[in-house]
Amino acid sequence: MERRSVWRKVLLGLVIVLAVGGIGAAVATLTAYHEATKIDRSVPEVVVAEYLRAALQNKDEVGVDLYTCQDPSALAPMSALIDELAKREHDFGVQVIISWGALNRADQSGQVRIQTDLTVTAIKDGAEESSSQQRWQFGLVEEDGWRVCAAEQGPMPSASPTPSPSIAA
């Protein structure tokens, strides 16, 4: 009888250790997963790149919401661009591909402005139909990390010829 009691205690102790270990492993796994998938809004340039990826490439409204501020009304110009490009895809039977260049940052009294050039390329039957560039500026505000709150299209700089030095004879 005593032998059974000892084995029961050992078995119960083993079950308790395994249960606590399993719970600890589950908590550690969930914590690691949360950290690995956490949205990084600490760098304004990264936030703009992720916003552009969600809005223009993935067409993911949920993804867009992760990187925009609570009042996205100043993002109407970007929404208009998205709608226009979708209409062109439908009307002309093309695929529109959008990429962007360097993200240039300017800090202004609690706000950050990021400027970039978007390249809009229309592809039809595997061939490039047209390509254009647009300069855009994005305003970001610190709201539980950086958030895109404004977008406006700006003028492209005009190409002015560089004067060449005259050669003296």
Side-chain angles (χ1 to χ4, degrees):
M1 204 63 164
E2 286 181 33
R3 202 174 219 177
R4 277 190 176 173
S5 177
V6 170
W7 279 109
R8 281 186 184 165
K9 287 180 184 178
V10 168
L11 188 58
L12 180 62
L14 185 59
V15 167
I16 290 172
V17 166
L18 289 175
V20 169
I23 292 171
V27 168
T29 301
L30 287 174
T31 302
Y33 175 78
H34 175 71
E35 287 301 313
T37 60
K38 184 168 65 172
I39 296 167
D40 181 13
R41 294 189 198 98
S42 63
V43 179
E45 293 87 346
V46 171
V47 171
V48 170
E50 290 301 322
Y51 166 75
L52 292 173
R53 188 171 291 107
L56 301 174
Q57 291 179 339
N58 299 340
K59 297 171 176 86
D60 175 16
E61 290 182 31
V62 173
V64 168
D65 289 344
L66 294 174
Y67 297 100
T68 55
C69 59
Q70 290 178 357
D71 178 16
S73 60
L75 292 170
M78 182 56 63
S79 296
L81 173 67
I82 292 166
D83 293 344
E84 176 188 340
L85 296 176
K87 183 177 181 346
R88 287 184 185 189
E89 281 184 322
H90 178 266
D91 291 350
F92 300 110
V94 296
Q95 176 188 12
V96 175
I97 298 173
I98 302 170
S99 59
W100 51 92
L103 300 168
N104 302 309
R105 177 179 175 166
D107 294 25
Q108 300 171 347
S109 62
Q111 251 196 1
V112 170
R113 309 249 340 135
I114 303 286
Q115 180 177 291
T116 191
D117 294 336
L118 300 180
T119 301
V120 180
T121 306
I123 307 286
K124 185 169 187 169
D125 300 326
E128 182 177 312
E129 285 282 313
S130 67
S131 183
S132 65
Q133 278 200 324
Q134 301 177 5
R135 176 147 297 161
W136 281 82
Q137 214 171 67
F138 300 92
L140 289 89
V141 175
E142 175 75 42
E143 277 183 12
D144 187 28
W146 290 103
R147 308 278 183 142
V148 180
C149 294
E152 60 185 357
Q153 186 175 359
M156 289 298 289
S158 61
S160 56
T162 306
S164 59
S166 51
I167 300 175

